[in-house]
Amino acid sequence: MLIFPLNYGIAAYLFIQMGAYRGGENNFSVIGLASKPLHVYGMPGFECEWIPRDSTLRPGVGNDGSGGELVLHAHHGAGGARELERIVALTEKENAYNHIVYTAAPPFDYLYCGSSLYGNLSPQRMREWMAYHAKFFGPRYHFVFHDAGGVHSE
């Protein structure tokens, strides 16, 4: 008979980045997954820093078109420990920033972002649904769908 010793503890990542985007001239969003017990009991901390591509520029948020990186600094907070993790959340190339995107009126009055489509959905039914809602929403609308294998090929 084999007897294995019992070990206790947790093995979890502090943060797993899924994506990041610029949400405005001076704000960003970083999306990811985290361990709930680690966040409930460990009290981690997160700080973002914009690092300009040109090191002679003063730190800002890259709205001068120079490009740079958004870095997420994460630390385990349990017991006052400051074990830092450095995560490059977003890299913006030079001249990629366009202030008009964030200051102009939105191009759509309605944006529908649906959940992933699973199952056995009829493409004809999807076309009917979109045609009805396009007429209902008016000329300034946009639909976003994710076909997760639920709409059959015809």
Side-chain angles (χ1 to χ4, degrees):
M1 179 165 121
L2 293 172
I3 299 175
F4 296 98
L6 295 175
N7 294 318
Y8 294 96
I10 57 170
Y13 285 102
L14 180 60
F15 187 78
I16 300 170
Q17 182 193 343
M18 306 294 283
Y21 62 92
R22 181 187 281 270
E25 289 188 281
N26 298 312
N27 60 56
F28 298 86
S29 291
V30 180
I31 300 97
L33 300 172
S35 163
K36 185 169 183 172
L38 189 62
H39 282 253
V40 171
Y41 301 110
M43 294 183 279
F46 300 93
E47 295 176 20
C48 285
E49 174 187 19
W50 179 262
I51 301 173
R53 183 174 301 279
D54 181 352
S55 61
T56 63
L57 296 174
R58 62 179 174 71
V61 290
N63 52 13
D64 58 357
S66 63
E69 291 182 333
L70 178 69
V71 177
L72 174 66
H73 298 284
H75 67 84
H76 299 274
R82 300 271 309 177
E83 302 169 28
L84 244 78
E85 292 186 36
R86 183 183 188 276
I87 302 165
V88 177
L90 178 78
T91 301
E92 202 168 72
K93 294 180 181 176
E94 188 175 357
N95 297 318
Y97 173 78
N98 180 356
H99 76 92
I100 293 172
V101 171
Y102 306 105
T103 57
F108 308 113
D109 291 329
Y110 297 97
L111 171 65
Y112 175 84
C113 185
S115 60
S116 296
L117 302 174
Y118 295 96
N120 191 16
L121 302 171
S122 162
Q124 179 60 32
R125 176 70 103 172
M126 291 300 300
R127 284 190 292 271
E128 290 170 2
W129 187 94
M130 286 190 286
Y132 170 79
H133 285 85
K135 192 171 195 169
F136 179 72
F137 288 148
R140 291 173 33 101
Y141 67 90
H142 188 74
F143 296 119
V144 178
F145 293 100
H146 171 238
D147 181 6
V151 181
H152 27 113
S153 59
E154 69 271 359

